Amino acid sequence: MDPLGIEELEYEATDVHNNIENAFKKSYIHKNRKSRRDVPWWNKTLEKKRKDDRSFWNNPNLCIPSGSQVWYTDGSKLENGDTGAGVYGPRFRMSIAMKQRYTRLKFAP
């Protein structure tokens, strides 16, 4: 078998690429992702609070005073319904797998 020339190699590479792309297109199932705000309890008040909050944190001049503690929280929900949460702060990290038991954590100050 003779080595392929540049043109033949380009042709073969394009053919492999096209086959992979076609296989993907045939097998991929597109799911329309619902917005988190497509729920009955979301309203204009929450939307305004969300925008105000994002504006505050996106401010390039935001300065957290020295000596302040910064804590982060996050939650997630998988397609199978399992939920989880994380809390991160100074010398503290916690991940909580909640399965399908809870949809929200509330931390009191």
Side-chain angles (χ1 to χ4, degrees), residues 26-61:
K26 287 179 183 177
S27 64
Y28 178 74
I29 299 170
H30 178 73
K31 293 182 180 180
N32 287 332
R33 187 174 175 152
K34 275 181 101 174
S35 167
R36 290 182 182 186
R37 293 180 301 276
D38 280 346
V39 289
W41 47 265
W42 191 262
N43 58 38
K44 289 182 181 183
T45 303
L46 290 174
E47 184 65 28
K48 180 175 180 348
K49 288 182 185 236
R50 178 182 173 275
K51 286 180 181 177
D52 291 346
D53 190 56
R54 290 183 66 86
S55 294
F56 174 80
W57 288 108
N58 288 329
N59 180 351
N61 299 318

Side-chain angles (χ1 to χ4, degrees), residues 1-18:
M1 181 171 178
D2 294 331
L4 296 176
I6 298 284
E7 288 180 15
E8 293 168 314
L9 189 57
E10 287 287 338
Y11 174 81
E12 293 298 329
T14 301
D15 191 46
V16 169
H17 171 84
N18 290 339

Side-chain angles (χ1 to χ4, degrees), residues 2 6 18 24-26 32 35 40 46 50 56 58 62 65 68-69 72-73 82 90 96 99 101-102 108-109:
D2 294 331
I6 298 284
N18 290 339
F24 170 79
K25 287 178 180 178
K26 287 179 183 177
N32 287 332
S35 167
L46 290 174
R50 178 182 173 275
F56 174 80
N58 288 329
L62 176 65
S68 297
Q69 288 190 7
Y72 298 95
T73 62
D82 286 355
I96 306 163
K99 300 289 181 195
R101 295 177 294 206
Y102 305 102

